């Protein structure tokens, strides 16, 4: 349909262990017109991570050059040591083609995107409760007690910014969380301020 031109920019955040990767993967499986932005980072790849798939792994010098060239939509230091950034070109090109782009970034990055791209849609994936979040982290079996404590404390900090998001989706049952994400996409595409061209046509006296 002609009215849906520019794709949406969907910023998805949520605490570690909430399942945002699972929700986004299922959303993308259902909607081939959704793309995931691949961030650049200066951190070393973990076992199994592939350059260009999980991240663009870059040196600090390369990252600095990209900053100078204004190649990032947003970037920042996340855990003190490493830089992470969202390359701008991919996001712009895909949205121009009419594809929706998901940024899976931390809450501070999300706030910066909100400032620079006011039409971005911010979605926070929240756990049903903090207890359930903690249980999920323990259940992964990959985290030390210290890491679980750090991640739980970080989750509390992140939750403080939840009211600044446009939408919240509780990830209790993945299928339901994905359906809610689909509803958000549909609602956003129906917004009058995303349909100026069609509105102008309709109100401009165009005859059938
Ligand atoms: P990890 O090193 O575990 O892959 O990611 C660490 C943190 O960096 C996560 O909270 C992740 O959401 C965040 N992150 C990944 N890519 C970006 C990005 O491009 N920008 C920002 N601001 N945060 C990012």
């Amino acid at each position: 349909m002609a009215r849906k031109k520019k794709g949406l920019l969907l910023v998805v955040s949520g605490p570690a262990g909430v399942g945002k990767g699972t929700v986004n993967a299922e959303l993308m499986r259902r909607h081939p017109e959704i793309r995931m932005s691949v961030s650049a980072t200066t951190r070393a790849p973990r076992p199994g991570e592939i350059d260009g798939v999980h991240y663009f792994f870059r040196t600090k010098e390369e990252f600095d050059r990209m900053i100078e060239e204004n190649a990032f939509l947003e970037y920042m230091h996340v855990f003190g040591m490493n830089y992470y950034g969202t390359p701008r070109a991919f996001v712009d090109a895909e949205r121009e083609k009419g594809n929706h782009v998901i940024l899976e970034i931390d809450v501070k990055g999300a706030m910066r995107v909100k400032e620079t791209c006011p039409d971005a849609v911010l979605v926070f994936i929240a756990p049903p409760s903090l207890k359930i979040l903690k249980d999920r982290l323990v259940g992964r079996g990959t985290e030390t007690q210290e890491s679980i404590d750090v991640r739980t404390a970080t989750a509390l900090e992140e939750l403080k910014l939840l009211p600044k998001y446009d939408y919240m989706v509780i990830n209790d049952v993945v299928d339901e969380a994905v359906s809610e994400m689909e509803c958000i996409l549909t609602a956003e595409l129906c917004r009058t301020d995303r349909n100026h061209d069609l509105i102008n046509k309709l109100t401009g006296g165009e005859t059938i």
Side-chain angles (χ1 to χ4, degrees):
M1 193 160 161
R3 68 178 191 161
K4 287 159 190 168
K5 280 263 168 66
K6 195 176 174 186
L8 299 170
L9 179 57
L10 215 62
V11 181
V12 180
S13 312
V18 80
K20 50 189 184 296
T22 310
V23 170
N24 285 337
E26 175 57 19
L27 183 67
M28 288 173 65
R29 198 188 61 75
R30 292 188 198 174
H31 296 270
E33 76 282 15
I34 301 179
R35 305 276 186 269
M36 179 68 78
S37 158
V38 178
S39 297
T41 183
T42 58
R43 88 150 159 74
R46 293 185 188 126
E49 283 185 337
I50 300 163
D51 186 42
V53 176
H54 299 94
Y55 281 105
F56 294 108
F57 295 101
R58 295 290 178 261
T59 63
K60 175 76 171 59
E61 290 68 35
E62 288 167 337
F63 202 99
D64 282 342
R65 204 172 319 127
M66 289 180 77
I67 295 174
E68 271 166 35
E69 289 164 355
N70 195 26
F72 290 119
L73 198 59
E74 62 77 42
Y75 70 92
M76 67 168 63
H77 261 118
V78 175
F79 290 138
M81 297 273 294
N82 297 305
Y83 283 88
Y84 294 83
T86 306
R88 183 192 299 280
F90 176 83
V91 174
D92 290 348
E94 290 300 322
R95 292 188 72 197
E96 280 312 315
K97 281 188 231 164
N99 293 323
H100 311 312
V101 182
I102 296 183
L103 310 185
E104 204 180 292
I105 59 176
D106 80 310
V107 288
K108 289 188 190 129
M111 293 305 116
R112 288 165 75 108
V113 172
K114 191 175 174 161
E115 275 167 28
T116 52
C117 303
D119 72 335
V121 182
L122 271 62
V123 182
F124 193 100
I125 312 240
S129 72
L130 274 182
K131 164 130 189 16
I132 290 175
L133 182 69
K134 211 169 174 177
D135 290 348
R136 283 184 193 165
L137 285 171
V138 173
R140 273 181 179 181
T142 53
E143 313 281 332
T144 60
Q145 185 57 48
E146 193 193 349
S147 150
I148 291 168
D149 291 344
V150 169
R151 283 168 184 263
T152 310
T154 308
L156 279 173
E157 284 306 305
E158 290 167 337
L159 282 162
K160 285 186 190 155
L161 287 174
L162 173 47
K164 294 197 184 293
Y165 280 68
D166 299 305
Y167 298 95
M168 69 184 286
V169 167
I170 309 279
N171 185 22
D172 188 3
V173 177
V174 171
D175 206 47
E176 286 170 15
V178 175
S179 298
E180 288 185 4
M181 296 285 282
E182 289 180 301
C183 291
I184 293 168
L185 282 175
T186 305
E188 284 294 326
L189 289 169
C190 292
R191 288 182 70 101
T192 50
D193 54 8
R194 292 194 197 277
N195 290 284
H196 287 309
D197 288 353
L198 182 60
I199 292 170
N200 286 341
K201 262 191 189 173
L202 291 170
T203 56
E206 187 183 80
T207 47
I208 302 164

